[in-house]
Amino acid sequence: MQGDYEFPTQRLSTLDGPDVDKTPLVLVACGSYSPVTFLHLRLFEMARDDAHFNSQFRVVGGYLSPVNDRYAKLGLASATHRVAMCDAAVHDTSDWLMVDPWEARQPRYLPTAQVLDHFDHELNSLRGGADCRVRDPATGDVRIVKKRVRIMLLAGSDLILTMSEPGVWAEKDLHHILGIYGCYIIERSESELDQSIFSSSSVHSRSPLALYRHNIHMVEQTVRNDVSSTKVRLFIRKGMSVKYLIPTVVIHYINHHGLYRKSDKRRDSLAQATPSPNLVPQQQATEPPPPPIASTSSSSFQQHASQPPPPPPPQQDLLLQPFALPASVVSTSSPSWASTFPPAASTSTDRPRQHQQNEEADPRTRRTSLSRSGGQRGSFSRGEHEERFELVIAAGVGTGVGGLGPSGGGEDDVTMRAA
């Protein structure tokens, strides 16, 4: 593994003025980010607004934590690429979000509870908490004091659905996540969750969701956004535009490295899945370790600027062009920004084939379809969703220049933490 790990803190804010009486809050979103989309980033903004107007929290930072390569799900680019895309996205679009590569750098997949423990250790145990600027009313002197940071998991409403299904999560992990940390859940405006899963008078009365309902903050998504990484990958494979679905700097990165151009051929080899690490201890991996992950701090971009860029991929760059443009007008020259990114790494088809984590059991791949009235219509895995959406595109539904069509993909897909 190249480079020493350093926990990013450069964008943590300081509580000042009337905010010093509030509880500092850090939002953590674990996910695949293959690739990162505007919806991933938008989740943080919606949660921060809700915390500001409806709670005694004050958000001092937000972190994207890309999942480890050992997760081995369909469509998962290498952690090197995913961390770099996330880093580029937050540097280009945000002034308070950060990317922590710690989870991606680990030699094995880690349950979400352990990832949150890592953030608590870095922010509270090592750093002592958030900085608060306190002014002495008598002398006017200002001093910095530390205040313990509250850490919460940020995710979409499908996370709550998986937490309510028996056997999907280890119960001890649910008590750990919801009891110690809590979560912010972005809810679809058209979907209503079955509130009985939170009720103490139902069969769920002894469930972690009922016990820790006070630590679960539901945020309504008032402006509908159905963008998902799965849909973006399919659009790229079809040669369709993904502009305005993901940050432009991420589109440049994908073009430069030729990512997501081909279908993931691992579906058959991943049929015999390994049980979710949230349920059973992680077995010792027999495959070779994943490729090293270079440091993705802002300085790493400068280090790569002095390296000559690799030759441009032979494919035509269709991502930034309208779908109907002829190939003769598409540029294939290497862009000026190419030298700021790491050299192209081998594609997923060059890496050893790895067994798929159990998509039916693992909360990070489970997808649930809700009717507009809130009733559950059934669950399906990420691979099944990708196949169905590919048929929708082939039939001409939901096409357009960088759009998802009038139906947003044709399904009431409640996954906010998409792919």
Side-chain angles (χ1 to χ4, degrees):
M1 183 174 297
Q2 298 177 0
D4 295 331
Y5 169 74
E6 182 178 354
F7 182 72
T9 60
Q10 68 276 11
R11 289 185 170 183
L12 289 175
S13 60
T14 301
L15 296 183
D16 194 5
D19 289 341
V20 296
D21 294 329
K22 296 183 178 293
T23 300
L25 174 65
V26 164
L27 300 169
V28 176
C30 303
S32 300
Y33 300 111
S34 187
V36 60
T37 72
F38 277 124
L39 179 55
H40 291 134
L41 305 175
R42 180 65 187 155
L43 295 179
F44 284 92
E45 299 292 337
M46 289 185 281
R48 185 170 70 161
D49 282 345
D50 185 82
H52 176 78
F53 292 107
N54 301 316
S55 75
Q56 288 300 309
F57 296 121
R58 181 64 69 215
V59 175
V60 296
Y63 290 92
L64 288 75
S65 181
V67 72
N68 188 274
D69 277 339
R70 295 295 184 184
Y71 190 48
K73 59 163 287 189
L74 292 174
L76 190 71
S78 72
T80 303
H81 288 312
R82 292 182 288 112
V83 171
M85 285 188 286
C86 289
D87 213 8
V90 299
H91 279 84
D92 187 63
T93 64
S94 177
D95 60 358
W96 66 283
L97 295 180
M98 293 164 282
V99 179
D100 182 20
W102 180 83
E103 180 183 358
R105 293 169 63 105
Q106 300 309 300
R108 62 182 179 87
Y109 175 87
L110 295 177
T112 302
Q114 294 184 25
V115 177
L116 295 178
D117 286 344
H118 156 72
F119 281 93
D120 180 63
H121 175 72
E122 291 286 348
L123 292 169
N124 290 316
S125 299
L126 297 183
R127 199 172 183 273
D131 291 337
C132 298
R133 187 177 290 108
V134 178
R135 185 180 300 274
D136 190 324
T139 63
D141 295 337
V142 176
R143 58 189 178 92
I144 300 296
V145 299
K146 295 287 187 178
K147 197 169 187 179
R148 184 173 180 81
V149 174
R150 181 71 181 272
I151 297 163
M152 287 196 179
L153 179 66
L154 173 63
S157 53
D158 62 328
L159 183 76
I160 288 295
L161 293 174
T162 62
M163 286 182 172
S164 66
E165 296 178 11
V168 177
W169 289 75
E171 187 168 349
K172 65 180 181 62
D173 281 355
L174 291 181
H175 285 284
H176 193 86
I177 294 170
L178 300 177
I180 298 177
Y181 299 109
C183 56
Y184 264 84
I185 302 297
I186 307 301
E187 189 177 8
R188 268 277 296 276
S189 57
E190 289 86 358
S191 302
E192 294 181 1
L193 291 176
D194 183 0
Q195 295 299 311
S196 67
I197 64 176
F198 303 114
S199 174
S200 59
S201 61
S202 70
V203 295
H204 304 283
S205 59
R206 299 182 63 84
S207 73
L209 291 177
L211 290 174
Y212 307 114
R213 179 65 181 88
H214 61 285
N215 280 343
I216 302 173
H217 301 263
M218 305 298 297
V219 182
E220 182 182 358
Q221 185 183 193
T222 55
V223 178
R224 181 177 178 177
N225 188 337
D226 285 330
V227 177
S228 74
S229 298
T230 301
K231 296 174 183 178
V232 168
R233 293 194 301 269
L234 289 172
F235 273 43
I236 294 173
R237 280 163 43 192
K238 297 294 183 181
M240 301 171 67
S241 170
V242 293
K243 192 170 185 180
Y244 308 122
L245 301 180
I246 61 179
T248 300
V249 67
V250 176
I251 297 178
H252 292 333
Y253 188 98
I254 292 172
N255 285 337
H256 179 58
H257 291 274
L259 302 179
Y260 311 121
R261 299 286 188 173
K262 297 180 180 179
S263 176
D264 195 329
K265 301 300 184 183
R266 297 177 296 163
R267 182 169 289 131
D268 293 336
S269 66
L270 297 176
Q272 300 299 324
T274 302
S276 167
N278 285 316
L279 294 174
V280 297
Q282 180 71 25
Q283 300 297 324
Q284 292 295 329
T286 59
E287 297 86 358
I293 301 172
S295 173
T296 55
S297 62
S298 58
S299 61
S300 66
F301 284 88
Q302 300 297 329
Q303 295 172 1
H304 289 295
S306 60
Q307 302 177 1
Q315 302 95 335
Q316 291 177 335
D317 182 359
L318 297 175
L319 301 185
L320 293 177
Q321 307 296 334
F323 182 61
L325 281 182
S328 60
V329 301
V330 179
S331 170
T332 59
S333 61
S334 181
S336 60
W337 46 264
S339 62
T340 64
F341 293 114
S346 60
T347 61
S348 59
T349 57
D350 297 326
R351 301 195 306 272
R353 294 176 180 268
Q354 299 172 335
H355 290 296
Q356 169 72 326
Q357 302 294 342
N358 192 331
E359 291 195 355
E360 290 299 326
D362 198 288
R364 295 199 187 189
T365 57
R366 184 80 167 184
R367 299 171 67 81
T368 303
S369 180
L370 297 183
S371 66
R372 293 186 183 278
S373 62
Q376 184 169 336
R377 295 203 313 227
S379 300
F380 50 92
S381 69
R382 185 78 61 176
E384 294 169 352
H385 171 76
E386 183 170 330
E387 289 177 340
R388 178 163 61 180
F389 187 69
E390 189 167 7
L391 292 176
V392 171
I393 293 182
V397 179
T399 59
V401 180
L404 294 178
S407 63
E411 280 294 332
D412 288 332
D413 180 5
V414 300
T415 299
M416 298 293 114
R417 185 179 158 211

